[in-house]
Amino acid sequence: LISVSFSVLTSQVTMAAAMTPAQLVDAFMNVWLTKFQASRAELGALYEEASSYTFEGSTVTGKAGIAAALAAIPIPAGTKARIITTDIQNSPSAGAFVVLITAQVIMTPAVNFQCVFQLVPKAGGSYYIHNDIFRAGTANPLNAPAKLGGDVIKPLITTYYQLFDSDKTKLAVVYSAASTFTFEKHTHVGAEAIVKYLGTLPATKHAMKTLDVQSVSGDAKVLMCFVTGDVTIEGSENALKFCQAFQMVHNGTSYYIHNDLFRLNYG
């Protein structure tokens, strides 16, 4: 078990001795939400030079660039927001967490948005945001640079949804024994358990609207991928909005999905 302490000046979240990982992430996200509402430029303290931030398909790196990009988000300072759902998985990086949130800016009309974060430990026990991908709309729908394997990742993820909608049993090849899948807060570990659970889901049809890809490892060996789109469930005429985060790891011959988090986007 771990606990948390805060630095008012730096907004760092530090693990100590009496808090679970879920409580740590909740505490971190509360700090993030407070800054997001009050002064987004101050969120820069939660990033490092190795961090990447994507807003609606445009990516910047480094603390100064990220702080400037956050300050430029076209939402008035002081506008209230709320986190609707939070899903957490352990990352393959030691002590790190992959976090998917669905959230809403409370304005007229309300704006729903989704973010995936990778929280990485620092020396001394504090955490920083290594990856951050924000989506509310469909601007710049494909942000998957070729240098990060985008020319491979896009067809791989396209094939993933084709198999999901036609024969989920064939998805076993994209997971491993170490994979974790979270679907609407239900978590399953290992390819066999994941595919068994997928088999219980109704027939669907997915339409991918956006794809963002960031490097986790500094190269194309570990990638954070974030998809938003529409999904139609068999028996329904109305498509639902969804978001899905994948952490893809290259095993020497191909990519497999280490982390997979799915959420429907409700207001």
Side-chain angles (χ1 to χ4, degrees):
L1 292 182
I2 52 182
S3 73
V4 66
S5 63
F6 298 96
S7 166
V8 175
L9 295 178
T10 64
S11 301
Q12 290 181 338
V13 181
T14 305
M15 297 171 67
M19 187 173 271
T20 67
Q23 290 170 327
L24 169 74
V25 170
D26 283 344
F28 192 103
M29 295 315 304
N30 283 335
V31 172
W32 178 89
L33 181 63
T34 299
K35 297 296 185 184
F36 183 86
Q37 295 176 114
S39 178
R40 284 182 294 277
E42 294 183 17
L43 282 169
L46 295 177
Y47 300 81
E48 295 293 330
E49 288 306 309
S51 300
S52 297
Y53 169 69
T54 297
F55 179 83
E56 294 300 319
S58 297
T59 300
V60 295
T61 59
K63 292 184 70 168
I66 292 172
L70 287 164
I73 294 176
I75 300 171
T79 302
K80 296 298 183 183
R82 67 187 182 106
I83 294 174
I84 300 170
T85 65
T86 304
D87 293 299
I88 306 161
Q89 290 183 5
N90 292 326
S91 173
S93 302
F97 303 105
V98 178
V99 182
L100 174 65
I101 68 166
T102 63
Q104 184 179 73
V105 178
I106 304 170
M107 53 195 303
T108 305
V111 176
N112 293 333
F113 67 94
Q114 309 84 43
C115 295
V116 60
F117 302 93
Q118 178 132 219
L119 306 184
V120 174
K122 298 166 58 176
S126 63
Y127 274 72
Y128 77 94
I129 299 172
H130 186 77
N131 299 93
D132 179 355
I133 304 175
F134 178 109
R135 276 289 182 181
T138 56
N140 303 312
L142 178 61
N143 177 34
K147 67 180 181 180
L148 295 182
D151 50 350
V152 174
I153 291 299
K154 184 183 179 182
L156 192 157
I157 291 179
T158 299
T159 300
Y160 172 91
Y161 288 115
Q162 291 172 344
L163 293 176
F164 196 110
D165 294 340
S166 61
D167 187 355
K168 298 181 183 70
T169 61
K170 293 181 179 178
L171 288 173
V173 298
V174 301
Y175 296 102
S176 77
S179 300
T180 303
F181 174 61
T182 298
F183 184 92
E184 292 292 309
K185 210 168 185 176
H186 300 283
T187 297
H188 305 271
V189 179
E192 183 177 353
I194 292 169
V195 172
K196 182 178 179 180
Y197 177 75
L198 290 174
T200 69
L201 300 177
T204 54
K205 183 177 181 180
H206 290 80
M208 183 168 61
K209 299 296 186 182
T210 69
L211 168 62
D212 294 289
V213 178
Q214 287 183 1
S215 174
V216 175
S217 55
D219 52 27
K221 293 180 180 178
V222 184
L223 300 174
M224 184 68 72
C225 308
F226 194 41
V227 174
T228 67
D230 298 333
V231 58
T232 303
I233 300 172
E234 185 178 43
S236 174
E237 296 181 357
N238 299 318
L240 301 172
K241 302 294 183 183
F242 79 93
C243 61
Q244 192 162 8
F246 302 95
Q247 185 156 220
M248 317 285 288
V249 177
H250 201 277
N251 61 13
T253 56
S254 62
Y255 286 98
Y256 77 92
I257 300 171
H258 189 90
N259 299 94
D260 183 352
L261 304 93
F262 177 101
R263 273 287 180 178
L264 294 171
N265 298 334
Y266 296 114

